[in-house]
C-alpha cells in the first residue's frame, strides 16, 4: 500500500521534524486563538452594549467616553476570554489535525502525543502570564476607572435626563419617579423621591411640581419642590408626616466611584489583604475578598488545564468541523464554571476553605485532562463520543422522511 505524500515527507526530513512540527502547531493554535478571542470578547461585550448605548442616547454621554468605558471593561473580560479562547483554539486545531489524518502521520513518523506538548505548553505559559498580569494589575484599575468615568459622564446630565414614568436610580441611594419632565426648562410634574442616603431616617417625598437646576461649580443637583408631603420613618420611633409649600433637596454629585464602597474586583491584592486584616466588612464581602485572592491566580492557571484537556478532546472529536469544536468548548467551559459556582456556594456556607473553593475545579479538570490524555495517547477512544454519535445517528434516522 502506497503511503501518503505527507508521511514520506515527514520521514525524509525527520531530523528537522520537532522544530518544523512545533512551529506548525503553534501557528495552527495561535490563529484559532485570535479568532476565539474576538468571538468570546464580542459575545461578552454584547451583554453590556445595550446599557452603554442607552447612555449615549438617553443621557447624552459622548461617544469618546463610551469607547473608553469599553476599554476599561476589557480586563474584566480578558481573565475569562483568554482561557476560553485557548481551550477553543487547541480543541479546534487538534480536531482539524485529527480530521485530516495529520495526527496519524505524526505518530507514524515516531512522534508520540507527549512530544507534541511543548509548543502547546509554551503558548499556555504565555496565556497564563497575560491572564495573571491582567487579573493582578489591570482588572482593579480598569474596574475603578470604569466606575469613575461612568459617574463623571452622567453626573452633569442628570438634570435633563430624568426619564418620565420610570424609576430613575442613577444617583446612589436615591430613587426618583417623575410623571412628566419638560426637559430643557427643568420643570417636573408628579414627583416621587425615595431618599435612603441616611439609613437612620428614610424619607419618601411627594410633590405636585418641581424644578431642577445644576450647579456646575459645586457639582450639586438642586431640586426645588412645591406642594407636597414628606413621609419619614425612623427605627424605634413613630412615623412622621410633614407637609410643605416649598422644599429644597440638594444632591451632592461631586463624589467619585472611589468614595463609594468598593467590591472585590475594584481592589488590588494589597488592598484586599489589608481589608481582610482590618475586618469590619459584611460577611459576603469578606468571603468574596478571600475568594478573589485565590481566584486571581486560579483562573489564569486554567490556561494550562484547558490546553491539556483540549488536546485529547480535539483528537477524539475528529471530522466534526468548527461548529462541533465550538460547541464542545462551550460545554467544557459551562461545566467548569458550574464547578466554580458550586465551590463559591460551599465556601459561603463554610463547607469548603476559600483555597479549595477557588482551586478545586482546577484540580478536578487537571485530573480529568491527564486521564483523557493518557487514554488518547494509548490509541483508545472515549466511549461517550461513540454513544453521542450513535444517538445522533438514530435521531437523524427517525427524523428522515420515509
Amino acid at each position: 500500500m502506497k503511503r501518503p505524500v505527507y508521511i514520506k515527507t515527514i520521514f525524509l526530513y525527520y531530523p528537522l521534524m520537532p522544530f518544523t512540527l512545533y512551529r506548525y502547531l503553534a501557528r495552527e493554535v495561535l490563529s484559532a486563538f485570535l479568532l476565539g478571542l474576538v468571538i468570546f470578547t464580542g459575545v461578552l461585550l454584547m451583554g453590556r452594549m445595550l446599557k452603554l448605548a442607552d447612555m449615549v442616547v438617553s443621557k447624552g454621554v459622548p461617544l469618546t467616553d463610551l469607547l473608553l468605558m469599553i476599554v476599561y471593561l476589557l480586563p474584566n473580560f480578558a481573565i475569562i476570554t483568554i482561557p476560553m479562547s485557548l481551550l477553543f483554539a487547541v480543541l479546534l486545531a487538534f480536531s482539524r489535525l485529527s480530521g485530516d489524518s495529520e495526527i496519524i502521520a505524526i505518530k507514524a513518523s515516531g512522534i508520540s502525543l507527549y512530544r507534541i506538548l511543548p509548543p502547546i505548553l509554551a503558548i499556555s505559559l504565555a496565556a497564563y502570564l497575560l491572564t495573571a498580569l491582567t487579573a493582578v494589575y489591570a482588572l482593579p484599575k480598569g474596574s475603578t476607572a470604569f466606575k469613575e468615568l461612568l459617574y463623571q459622564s452622567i453626573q452633569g446630565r442628570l438634570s435633563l435626563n430624568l426619564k418620565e414614568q420610570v424609576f430613575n436610580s442613577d444617583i446612589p441611594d436615591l430613587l426618583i419617579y417623575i410623571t412628566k419632565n419638560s426637559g430643557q426648562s427643568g420643570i417636573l410634574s408628579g414627583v416621587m423621591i425615595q431618599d435612603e442616603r441616611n439609613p437612620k431616617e428614610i424619607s419618601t417625598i411627594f410633590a405636585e411640581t418641581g424644578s431642577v437646576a445644576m450647579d456646575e461649580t459645586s457639582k450639586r443637583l438642586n431640586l426645588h419642590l412645591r406642594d407636597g408631603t414628606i413621609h419619614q420613618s425612623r427605627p424605634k420611633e413613630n412615623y412622621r408626616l410633614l407637609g410643605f409649600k416649598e422644599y429644597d433637596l440638594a444632591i451632592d454629585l461631586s463624589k467619585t466611584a472611589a468614595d463609594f464602597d468598593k467590591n472585590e474586583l475594584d481592589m488590588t491584592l494589597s488592598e484586599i489583604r489589608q481589608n481582610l486584616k482590618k475586618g469590619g466588612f459584611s460577611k459576603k464581602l469578606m468571603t468574596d475578598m478571600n475568594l478573589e485572592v485565590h481566584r486571581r491566580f486560579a483562573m489564569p492557571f486554567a490556561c494550562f488545564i484547558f490546553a491539556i484537556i483540549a488536546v485529547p478532546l480535539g483528537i477524539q472529536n475528529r471530522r466534526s468541523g468548527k461548529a462541533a469544536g465550538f460547541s464542545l468548548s462551550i460545554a467544557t467551559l459551562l461545566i467548569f464554571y458550574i464547578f466554580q459556582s458550586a465551590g463559591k456556594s460551599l465556601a459561603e456556607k463554610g463547607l469548603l476553605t476559600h483555597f479549595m473553593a477557588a482551586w478545586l475545579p482546577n484540580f478536578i479538570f487537571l485530573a480529568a485532562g491527564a486521564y483523557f490524555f493518557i487514554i488518547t495517547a494509548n490509541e483508545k477512544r472515549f466511549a461517550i463520543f461513540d454513544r453521542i454519535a450513535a444517538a445522533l445517528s438514530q435521531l437523524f434516522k427517525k427524523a428522515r422522511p420515509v
Side-chain angles (χ1 to χ4, degrees):
M1 183 176 177
K2 192 175 180 180
R3 286 180 175 176
V5 176
Y6 52 77
I7 294 183
K8 286 185 176 181
T9 305
I10 287 174
F11 277 117
L12 184 62
Y13 296 102
Y14 181 77
L16 300 175
M17 180 62 187
F19 177 75
T20 305
L21 176 63
Y22 291 170
R23 187 174 58 184
Y24 178 67
L25 289 174
R27 186 168 59 247
E28 191 80 14
V29 171
L30 287 175
S31 59
F33 175 78
L34 293 176
L35 174 64
L37 200 60
V38 172
I39 292 173
F40 290 124
T41 302
V43 169
L44 293 178
L45 192 58
M46 286 301 295
R48 296 288 190 98
M49 279 307 296
L50 291 178
K51 290 184 178 179
L52 294 176
D54 179 67
M55 291 172 53
V56 176
V57 175
S58 63
K59 294 183 173 62
V61 174
L63 187 60
T64 53
D65 286 356
L66 178 66
L67 294 176
L68 268 178
M69 289 178 196
I70 293 174
V71 172
Y72 293 147
L73 281 174
L74 290 180
N76 200 359
F77 295 157
I79 61 173
I80 300 174
T81 57
I82 293 174
M84 288 171 66
S85 301
L86 184 63
L87 170 65
F88 171 74
V90 176
L91 198 153
L92 196 65
F94 278 85
S95 291
R96 193 202 64 77
L97 292 173
S98 180
D100 293 345
S101 300
E102 292 185 34
I103 292 294
I104 296 175
I106 292 170
K107 290 180 178 179
S109 67
I111 304 292
S112 69
L113 204 58
Y114 297 97
R115 287 189 62 191
I116 65 177
L117 273 181
I120 307 303
L121 293 179
I123 295 172
S124 301
L125 177 61
Y128 166 79
L129 293 175
L130 181 59
T131 311
L133 289 172
T134 302
V136 174
Y137 298 106
L139 175 63
K141 291 182 179 179
S143 182
T144 302
F146 174 81
K147 290 184 178 180
E148 288 181 348
L149 180 59
L150 176 65
Y151 196 84
Q152 291 168 6
S153 297
I154 67 173
Q155 66 177 6
R157 300 175 176 85
L158 288 173
S159 59
L160 300 178
N161 292 285
L162 292 171
K163 294 182 181 180
E164 298 177 348
Q165 301 181 16
V166 297
F167 290 98
N168 297 273
S169 57
D170 294 316
I171 306 172
D173 301 321
L174 277 174
L175 191 65
I176 304 175
Y177 180 91
I178 297 168
T179 304
K180 186 177 180 181
N181 183 355
S182 62
Q184 295 294 334
S185 64
I187 303 300
L188 312 175
S189 302
V191 182
M192 190 280 287
I193 301 173
Q194 178 80 5
D195 187 354
E196 298 181 356
R197 291 175 296 175
N198 182 3
K200 296 181 179 179
E201 186 176 278
I202 298 175
S203 301
T204 305
I205 305 170
F206 295 91
E208 291 185 10
T209 60
S211 60
V212 59
M214 182 70 190
D215 186 346
E216 294 292 344
T217 304
S218 61
K219 296 295 182 184
R220 293 173 72 87
L221 184 68
N222 299 308
L223 286 170
H224 184 69
L225 307 175
R226 303 178 188 88
D227 300 320
T229 55
I230 302 175
H231 305 256
Q232 291 183 339
S233 60
R234 301 179 179 180
K236 300 180 181 180
E237 290 189 21
N238 294 330
Y239 165 82
R240 293 203 311 171
L241 174 62
L242 304 173
F244 62 84
K245 284 291 182 181
E246 293 187 354
Y247 179 75
D248 289 316
L249 180 66
I251 303 170
D252 184 10
L253 298 177
S254 61
K255 294 180 180 180
T256 63
D259 297 311
F260 296 100
D261 291 336
K262 288 184 174 183
N263 61 28
E264 69 280 5
L265 298 179
D266 305 327
M267 305 176 193
T268 63
L269 281 176
S270 59
E271 287 177 327
I272 293 176
R273 292 189 176 107
Q274 289 173 4
N275 289 334
L276 289 174
K277 288 180 181 179
K278 183 172 63 176
F281 299 92
S282 66
K283 182 179 179 182
K284 182 182 182 305
L285 185 55
M286 291 292 287
T287 301
D288 289 341
M289 287 192 294
N290 273 300
L291 286 171
E292 186 64 19
V293 171
H294 300 291
R295 180 176 172 269
R296 292 194 186 180
F297 296 99
M299 195 63 204
F301 191 78
C303 292
F304 291 107
I305 297 166
F306 285 168
I308 291 173
I309 203 170
V311 172
L313 288 178
I315 293 174
Q316 297 276 346
N317 185 44
R318 64 185 65 179
R319 303 187 187 277
S320 298
K322 292 184 179 180
F326 183 79
S327 301
L328 193 56
S329 300
I330 296 298
T332 305
L333 292 167
L334 183 61
I335 297 171
F336 181 80
Y337 289 118
I338 288 174
F339 274 91
Q340 275 202 330
S341 298
K344 182 177 180 180
S345 299
L346 292 173
E348 289 173 348
K349 294 178 181 178
L351 300 176
L352 273 182
T353 64
H354 300 110
F355 173 83
M356 287 301 297
W359 285 90
L360 188 59
N362 286 353
F363 296 152
I364 293 173
F365 270 68
L366 181 61
Y371 173 72
F372 291 155
F373 192 93
I374 292 170
I375 287 179
T376 305
N378 292 332
E379 304 292 339
K380 296 180 181 178
R381 273 192 63 78
F382 304 157
I384 188 170
F385 279 97
D386 296 328
R387 291 173 185 172
I388 291 173
L392 290 174
S393 177
Q394 290 294 327
L395 183 64
F396 289 138
K397 284 181 181 179
K398 290 180 181 178
R400 189 180 303 165
V402 179

